[in-house]
């Protein structure tokens, strides 16, 4: 039974945590919380969850205690200070509103409506389906069809395995590790901890993957005097590729950096830094797009605003070709600062009304509209905590977010949770026409994780769930 000894950390740190206020490229200040609250007035309520009572903290503790008696040991992640890490994370997630004025939501009326129409069903249950303690839902679900038409789905932890099956209704975890994390102390190797957070394939055999890579300097002696997770956190988007339909992935040597901060990990310690949490990749004609979060940074001649950067490429198989939107064109590149000195870079212009990473973005087949889902915390420009959706015609101007599913998320304080937290929303249509599940019809599955809490600890007792959603888009 594998034990890594290091605690799991949520893949959704806010782009603004610890960052201070960054100016947008046109020098305007970010919107105020009052203006942000005005934007989301009238958000639609979620479906009535029914008569089932919410579990009490005592019942939750009992369920977790029962869970840890299973044959699979999921407790090793709770060692070495996970309580402290999540307390630090919760404190760091307070200032979420760093969206430049040009990235605000478009005016009414709304472009789409999403409605939950059924109860949750379990896709994967850690205590029942895990191969070892590394198998917990820890990223939004990403799926594709391989060359034989079978479904491959990622969304697990940094010892990366895939769920496989003939379709989305019959998925089972494959215990073969497709890509492991080396936990190496050299930041230039980009092999500390990695998650597959986006995939793209044209033929089902050759698969390009974007990796959320965390260099956790606090875990490597002498690399970060601050010594705490968020203060030492240095994040980069890297790449891996598969030539066997996702059975195995390999990184290039030297590693390819898709998006990195223009400075090395020892710079600006004391706050988290870099690019993180790519959305899934979507197609529009000959182009492929992905939304990537950034913390932003201050550099003479190259101040980057925090928010969501829209990247574009003609060929995801060549990870060096991704470029971000600058406000006028797709020319911003963020290369590896360890390979050669990085000159002051052209920066990206953040898009959308997003307070943090986008869980997924899909295109509605009937109308061509884009729909994105994400999670947000109450009191930071959003009326209630939970999953929200927003829609767009061009991936840049998005309408007012609306509540899809209410519930405490990873942005909320786990100490006050009376029910499992929800996280990592994604939208998947079993009838998707594209091999990469980047399109939806009038029905889809909201796929997400449920994370149980014990006291103030977010445990490894997690389920991957799905709920049917009806989608309506106005022409």
């Amino acid at each position: 039974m594998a034990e890594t000894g290091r605690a799991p950390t949520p893949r959704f740190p806010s782009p603004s945590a610890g960052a201070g206020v960054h100016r947008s490229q046109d020098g305007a200040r970010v919107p105020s919380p009052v203006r942000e609250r005005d934007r989301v007035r009238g958000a639609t309520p979620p479906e009535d969850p029914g008569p089932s009572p919410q579990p009490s903290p005592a019942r939750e503790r009992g369920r977790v205690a029962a869970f840890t008696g299973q044959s699979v040991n999921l407790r090793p992640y709770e060692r070495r200070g996970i309580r402290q890490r999540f307390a630090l994370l919760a404190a760091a997630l307070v200032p979420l509103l760093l969206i430049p004025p040009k990235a605000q939501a478009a005016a009414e009326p709304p472009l789409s409506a999403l409605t939950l129409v059924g109860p949750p069903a379990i896709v994967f249950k850690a205590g029942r389906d895990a191969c070892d303690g590394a198998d917990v839902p820890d990223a939004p679900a990403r799926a594709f069809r391989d060359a034989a038409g079978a479904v491959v789905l990622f969304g697990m932890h940094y010892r990366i395995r895939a769920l496989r099956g003939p379709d989305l209704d019959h998925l089972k975890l494959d215990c073969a590790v497709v890509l492991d994390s080396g936990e190496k102390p050299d930041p230039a190797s980009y092999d500390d901890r990695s998650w597959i957070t986006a995939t793209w394939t044209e033929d089902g055999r050759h698969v390009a993957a974007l990796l959320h890579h965390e260099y956790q300097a606090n875990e490597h002696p002498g690399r970060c005097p601050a010594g705490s997770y968020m203060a030492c956190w240095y994040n980069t988007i890297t790449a891996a590729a598969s030539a066997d339909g996702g059975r195995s992935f390999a990184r290039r040597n030297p590693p390819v950096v898709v998006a990195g901060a223009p400075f090395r990990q020892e710079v600006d310690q004391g706050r988290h830094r870099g690019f993180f949490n790519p959305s899934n990749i979507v197609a529009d004609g000959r182009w492929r797009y992905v939304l990537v979060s950034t913390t932003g940074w201050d550099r003479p001649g190259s101040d980057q605003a925090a928010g969501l950067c829209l990247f574009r490429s003609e060929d995801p198989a060549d990870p060096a070709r991704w470029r971000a939107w600058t406000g006028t064109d797709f020319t911003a590149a963020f290369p590896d600062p360890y390979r050669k000195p990085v000159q002051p870079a052209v920066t990206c212009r953040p898009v959308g009304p997003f307070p943090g990473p986008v869980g997924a973005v899909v295109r509605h087949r009937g109308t061509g509209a884009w729909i994105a889902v994400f999670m947000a915390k109450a009191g930071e420009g959003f009326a209630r905590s939970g999953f929200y959706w927003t829609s767009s015609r061009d991936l840049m101007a998005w309408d007012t977010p609306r509540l899809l599913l209410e519930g405490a998320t990873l942005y909320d304080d786990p100490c006050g949770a009376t029910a499992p937290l929800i996280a990592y929303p994604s939208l998947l249509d079993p009838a998707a026409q594209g091999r990469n599940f980047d399109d939806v019809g009038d029905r889809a599955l909201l796929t997400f994780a449920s994370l149980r809490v014990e006291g103030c600890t977010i445990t490894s007792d997690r389920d991957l769930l799905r709920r049917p959603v009806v989608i309506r888009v106005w022409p």
Side-chain angles (χ1 to χ4, degrees), residues 13-223:
S14 159
S16 61
V21 175
H22 296 271
R23 293 182 180 272
S24 64
Q25 290 180 332
D26 59 7
R29 300 295 284 183
V30 298
S32 72
V34 172
R35 289 195 295 272
E36 287 296 296
R37 284 193 293 271
D38 288 343
R39 282 180 30 229
V40 296
R41 285 177 180 167
T44 57
E47 181 194 49
D48 183 356
S52 300
Q54 290 189 335
S56 69
R59 284 195 295 271
E60 282 300 294
R61 285 194 290 273
R63 292 167 67 190
V64 172
F67 172 85
T68 56
Q70 296 282 343
S71 59
V72 175
N73 178 13
L74 299 180
R75 295 298 293 239
Y77 293 118
E78 296 175 29
R79 301 173 186 167
R80 298 185 63 179
I82 187 171
R83 292 175 186 267
Q84 291 86 348
R85 285 188 180 182
F86 277 106
L88 288 170
L89 180 68
L93 291 175
V94 173
L96 295 177
L97 300 173
L98 295 187
I99 306 301
K102 291 187 180 296
Q104 290 182 29
E108 299 291 353
L111 183 58
S112 66
L114 273 64
T115 306
L116 292 167
V117 292
I122 296 175
V123 178
F124 171 89
K125 188 174 186 63
R128 182 190 68 194
D129 304 324
C131 301
D132 62 30
D135 298 322
V136 294
D138 203 49
R142 306 288 184 238
F144 65 87
R145 295 187 181 95
D146 67 15
V151 171
V152 182
L153 186 145
F154 294 101
M156 306 301 284
H157 215 252
Y158 56 81
R159 172 165 289 170
I160 303 170
R161 296 182 169 101
L163 283 80
R164 304 179 191 276
D167 49 47
L168 288 175
D169 292 326
H170 301 88
L171 293 173
K172 182 180 179 180
L173 187 67
D174 182 347
C175 288
V177 176
V178 305
L179 184 68
D180 213 342
S181 294
E183 299 183 302
K184 295 178 180 177
D186 179 9
S189 70
Y190 295 97
D191 189 13
D192 190 359
R193 284 182 163 186
S194 295
W195 289 252
I196 289 180
T197 42
T199 57
W200 187 265
T201 179
E202 297 289 346
D203 59 9
R205 179 171 177 80
H206 299 89
V207 185
L210 297 180
L211 308 180
H212 166 105
H213 174 260
E214 291 188 14
Y215 182 71
Q216 297 181 5
N218 58 299
E219 296 286 353
H220 303 293
R223 294 289 185 173

Side-chain angles (χ1 to χ4, degrees), residues 257-310:
V257 170
V258 174
F263 48 83
R264 298 184 177 190
Q265 74 86 22
E266 67 270 14
V267 177
D268 287 354
Q269 289 181 351
R271 51 161 293 203
H272 72 282
R273 296 144 292 146
F275 288 90
F276 58 102
N277 285 98
S279 72
N280 57 308
I281 298 170
V282 296
D284 186 19
R286 66 189 179 99
W287 297 106
R288 307 293 177 258
Y289 294 87
V290 65
L291 286 161
V292 180
S293 296
T294 179
T295 61
W297 55 78
D298 296 320
R299 283 291 175 275
S302 182
D303 286 353
Q304 174 63 61
L308 273 289
C309 293
L310 180 63

Side-chain angles (χ1 to χ4, degrees), residues 113-118 371 373 389 404 426-428 440-448 466-472:
L114 273 64
T115 306
L116 292 167
V117 292
I371 299 169
V373 290
W389 88 90
L404 177 60
S426 185
L427 284 175
L428 297 170
V440 295
D442 294 334
R443 298 182 72 92
L445 298 171
L446 173 68
T447 307
F448 61 99
R466 69 183 202 184
R467 291 188 66 175
V469 178
V470 169
I471 299 171
R472 181 181 179 186

Side-chain angles (χ1 to χ4, degrees), residues 223-268:
R223 294 289 185 173
C224 182
S228 63
Y229 169 65
M230 292 301 292
C232 301
W233 187 88
Y234 180 79
N235 215 107
T236 310
I237 306 304
T238 60
S242 173
D244 56 9
R247 294 284 174 182
S248 63
F249 283 83
R251 304 175 182 88
R252 294 184 186 177
N253 189 17
V256 177
V257 170
V258 174
F263 48 83
R264 298 184 177 190
Q265 74 86 22
E266 67 270 14
V267 177
D268 287 354

